Amino acid sequence: MLPKINAALVEKVLVRFIRDEFGKCGCKKGILGLSGGLDSAVTAALAARALGPGNVLGLIMPYGKGFPEDVRDAGNLARRLGIRHKTIDIAAQVDIYFAAHPTRSRVQRGNKMARERMSILYDYSAREDAFILGTSNKTELLIGYGTIHGDMACAINPMGDLYKTQVRELAAHLRLPAAIRRKVPTAGLWPGQTDEGELGLTYEELDDILYGLVEGRRSRREMVEAGHRPAIVARILRMIKNSEFKRKLPPIAKLSPRSVGHDFLYPYDWGK
Amino acid sequence: MKIVLAQIVPRLGDVKANVELHLDVLEKARRRKAGLVVFPELGLTGYTLKDLVEEVALDPDSDPRFRKIVSRSKGLSVVVGFVEERPAEKGLFYNAAAFIADGRIVHVHRKVFLPTNGMFEEAKFFAQGRDFRTFEAPFGRAGLLICRDFLHYGASYVHYASGADMIVCISAAPGRGVEGGDAFETSRMWELMGEAVSYFSTAFVLYANRAGSEDGVTFAGGSFAFAPGGRLAARAAAIDPDLLFCRIDLSAVRDARRKWLFKRDEKPEVVWRSLERIVRASED
């Protein structure tokens, strides 16, 4: 079973991490996409504590008039945290592309939208001289439930080692609004999509299985013996393996005695 | 004697800045009449060095930056963590700890146990130390350990067997596990060992860990001092930087050894013969 976190300790570590990383780069401002969902709300709250609310900018980037409650919740959250926010409708740039290159794939459209939001975030990062805070949690990272070069793109990722259910614990500790905490998680790729509906299991069960596999280093057989459904365990293992590419930089073909990505090894914090 | 556990946040790869940081702490220690200042593992360089190791390596006998620290140790004892490269061993880089007293380097310990698993990759970049030796410090016999050395309890035993009144461990231990109390769960591991070693060695155990974060890893802080007999003398902040001043009574070693006769009754020759047999058997 996934143990409960000490949310106050986690808050302290993550706030310090954000402050440290920004401090090393001499960067005062942070920017992130605000979806109206839980993960971006928690990240925004941590960033506001670490950097001061006035130094955090939340971009709300809806596609047209879809998801009006999320847009409203995101705006309310920004006001509650005292952070700056701005709404940018991505419909025009998405529509013009798909008018020329039509598709019926909802996933393809959703991924394109995630990457449009990413490109806007990076542009605003340059305009504002602000670092992008990622909002991916450990559950998503492990099963690859994110768009590579889309919502996974960021400068630092404070919550990448917290499972989704632990993010909920942290959200309660941070006293985030109930409207956001009780919201059914969705990647927002299309209206009516929910994570748990698409995955076919609850986050509680998913996190328990991931915790057993990752921290517990249990085998598939041991997970089944512990009472988890064999088909589910097999599917989760497949998702983890199939998404390893999203958690790595692409392999570089090695030719020389010292190559980027192989044996040219420096810390991320190099020279900061 | 007043001691200082300097739970600092070194700048990664910036020896010059870290020397200044060390000198600043030494000045504060001197003003408050401390006798011993302990800095963390790789305090002069930062921890997550990887290929930077060769850029920050220095010879403690000739490097002007290091000599600055040595020269500011008049009337003081100082333990400093750095990357050592001697002219006689070019290209070999050691994760090292120097014991400096009164303007002189008394002893240098090279880390023996280099963690290289999971998040750790020290043996990829460092040469391995091969000895544990005690030395005569101004306040008694002492032995140095670096981080993971301390978790292999044979290392402390060697210091104990060779007469250490004080075991000083310098550390850059990352925190892991956030389910417990107000500190990382791994902090308990260090303190447990500190308590046990100080109890059964009837010696002082000082542990200086660092704070701050590098590449997403947060160092756990929680430096501590145990007096002989497992008595906690002081504990620094968890996670946050701290400059922990603490007074210790050096006569506690004698007191503890009159009460608990572990040291008098110790049989290193039996341990040695048994170990020799085990090592021989494993070599056959």
Side-chain angles (χ1 to χ4, degrees):
Chain A
M1 280 286 278
L2 179 64
K4 288 212 170 312
I5 54 167
N6 176 346
L9 176 62
V10 169
E11 179 198 355
K12 178 176 173 170
V13 172
L14 297 186
V15 165
R16 184 168 276 287
F17 163 69
I18 295 170
R19 215 175 269 157
D20 271 10
E21 283 302 313
F22 278 69
K24 284 174 201 168
C25 304
C27 182
K28 288 193 174 63
K29 290 196 281 182
I31 184 171
L32 77 164
L34 281 186
S35 67
L38 184 73
D39 297 319
S40 60
V42 173
T43 309
L46 292 170
R49 280 166 167 76
L51 308 170
N55 286 321
V56 181
L57 172 62
L59 290 188
I60 305 169
M61 296 176 281
Y63 171 77
K65 300 278 173 241
F67 304 100
E69 305 84 31
D70 289 334
V71 172
R72 190 196 60 215
D73 290 343
N76 286 342
L77 176 84
R79 280 183 286 277
R80 187 184 170 119
L81 295 174
I83 65 172
R84 295 159 58 217
H85 68 286
K86 186 178 176 71
T87 304
I88 299 172
D89 184 347
I90 64 167
Q93 63 202 81
V94 171
D95 289 347
I96 202 164
Y97 177 81
F98 283 116
H101 308 275
T103 177
R104 284 192 184 155
S105 164
R106 292 190 297 186
V107 173
Q108 228 169 300
R109 285 184 62 85
N111 281 335
K112 174 71 177 159
M113 289 183 204
R115 294 193 181 108
E116 291 302 326
R117 293 188 179 103
M118 177 277 295
S119 77
I120 293 169
L121 272 173
Y122 273 83
D123 181 60
Y124 263 81
S125 159
R127 285 169 196 263
E128 296 271 335
D129 200 11
F131 265 20
I132 300 172
L133 292 136
T135 60
S136 298
N137 61 56
K138 187 171 189 173
T139 309
E140 291 174 346
L141 288 176
L142 282 170
I143 63 171
Y145 207 61
T147 301
I148 187 170
H149 308 311
D151 53 298
M152 295 180 84
C154 60
I156 64 165
N157 186 358
M159 292 207 310
D161 204 17
L162 286 176
Y163 289 105
K164 180 74 176 187
T165 49
Q166 295 175 323
V167 176
R168 286 182 187 147
E169 290 176 57
L170 185 56
H173 165 77
L174 296 171
R175 297 177 196 281
L176 292 183
I180 287 177
R181 283 196 283 129
R182 299 211 184 101
K183 197 174 275 186
V184 178
T186 170
L189 292 183
W190 58 84
Q193 181 205 26
T194 68
D195 297 357
E196 294 180 333
E198 208 186 354
L199 296 165
L201 75 170
T202 64
Y203 268 113
E204 280 76 10
E205 191 184 351
L206 175 56
D207 285 355
D208 271 348
I209 294 172
L210 289 172
Y211 180 74
L213 291 170
V214 175
E215 276 90 337
R217 298 172 190 263
R218 303 239 186 285
S219 68
R220 176 196 305 220
R221 214 177 90 194
E222 287 170 318
M223 293 306 292
V224 171
E225 281 167 5
H228 294 288
R229 291 171 283 175
I232 295 284
V233 176
R235 186 150 66 87
I236 291 172
L237 275 167
R238 208 161 47 238
M239 291 174 93
I240 296 174
K241 284 181 193 164
N242 291 345
S243 60
E244 183 61 12
F245 75 98
K246 296 187 183 183
R247 295 182 290 271
K248 289 266 166 66
L249 286 174
I252 290 170
K254 186 164 176 67
L255 298 168
S256 75
R258 199 171 180 216
S259 331
V260 173
H262 293 280
D263 31 31
F264 179 79
L265 301 171
Y266 289 92
Y268 194 89
D269 288 351
W270 189 13
K272 290 178 191 165
Chain B
M1 178 171 71
K2 199 184 269 181
I3 61 161
V4 187
L5 302 179
Q7 193 166 291
I8 55 170
V9 181
R11 271 180 77 104
L12 185 58
D14 190 343
V15 177
K16 193 167 166 243
N18 293 324
V19 167
E20 291 307 315
L21 178 61
H22 280 58
L23 294 178
D24 185 48
V25 171
L26 287 183
E27 190 47 42
K28 284 181 182 138
R30 186 184 307 284
R31 260 187 266 135
R32 291 180 60 177
K33 304 198 178 346
L36 169 65
V37 186
V38 187
F39 290 99
E41 176 185 18
L42 297 174
L44 280 189
T45 62
Y47 179 74
T48 318
L49 292 163
K50 300 177 184 261
D51 280 351
L52 290 175
V53 161
E54 60 188 66
E55 293 178 28
V56 299
L58 56 85
D59 169 23
D61 287 335
S62 63
D63 186 276
R65 297 163 301 181
F66 200 92
R67 298 315 300 175
K68 232 178 184 176
I69 293 176
V70 175
S71 69
R72 301 276 182 91
S73 71
K74 296 270 157 48
L76 255 181
S77 297
V78 189
V79 180
V80 177
F82 65 106
V83 179
E84 181 193 28
E85 183 188 16
R86 298 274 182 177
E89 293 180 80
K90 290 183 188 68
L92 297 189
F93 309 106
Y94 294 96
N95 181 342
F99 190 96
I100 306 162
D102 214 15
R104 195 171 68 83
I105 298 173
V106 177
H107 180 75
V108 175
H109 171 66
R110 295 167 166 179
K111 189 173 186 177
V112 172
F113 294 103
L114 300 168
T116 306
N117 63 288
M119 63 184 291
F120 301 104
E121 41 188 22
E122 288 185 33
K124 257 170 100 168
F125 303 102
F126 289 113
Q128 188 189 308
R130 294 178 184 281
D131 201 5
F132 295 106
R133 274 172 196 266
T134 54
F135 52 89
E136 212 51 52
F139 47 81
R141 222 164 164 78
L144 295 179
L145 298 174
I146 304 178
C147 205
R148 180 69 178 274
D149 287 341
F150 189 53
L151 301 181
H152 294 257
Y153 51 77
S156 293
Y157 179 82
V158 173
H159 282 336
Y160 164 56
S162 75
D165 300 321
M166 182 186 285
I167 294 170
V168 180
C169 175
I170 68 171
S171 190
R176 284 153 289 158
V178 288
E179 288 102 48
D182 297 332
F184 281 108
E185 274 163 56
T186 43
S187 291
R188 173 75 190 125
M189 171 175 77
W190 296 97
E191 218 172 290
L192 184 64
M193 187 60 104
E195 185 175 353
V197 169
S198 71
Y199 204 114
F200 299 103
S201 313
T202 44
F204 283 95
V205 173
L206 309 189
Y207 172 81
N209 193 19
R210 57 163 290 182
S213 72
E214 288 175 359
D215 282 20
V217 170
T218 299
F219 297 93
S223 305
F224 57 76
F226 274 99
R231 288 187 300 108
L232 184 68
R235 181 196 285 131
I239 299 163
D240 294 322
D242 200 357
L243 205 55
L244 181 70
F245 284 78
C246 154
R247 195 173 281 285
I248 60 170
D249 179 2
L250 292 163
S251 65
V253 174
R254 182 167 184 267
D255 290 346
R257 285 181 188 173
R258 283 186 302 164
K259 184 175 173 194
W260 303 103
L261 301 189
F262 307 131
K263 180 65 184 162
R264 190 197 71 181
D265 298 344
E266 185 54 41
K267 295 185 169 58
E269 70 286 358
V270 177
V271 174
W272 179 60
R273 279 198 300 272
S274 304
L275 282 176
E276 191 180 34
R277 178 177 44 76
I278 292 164
V279 171
R280 286 246 166 92
S282 72
E283 281 173 347
D284 286 343

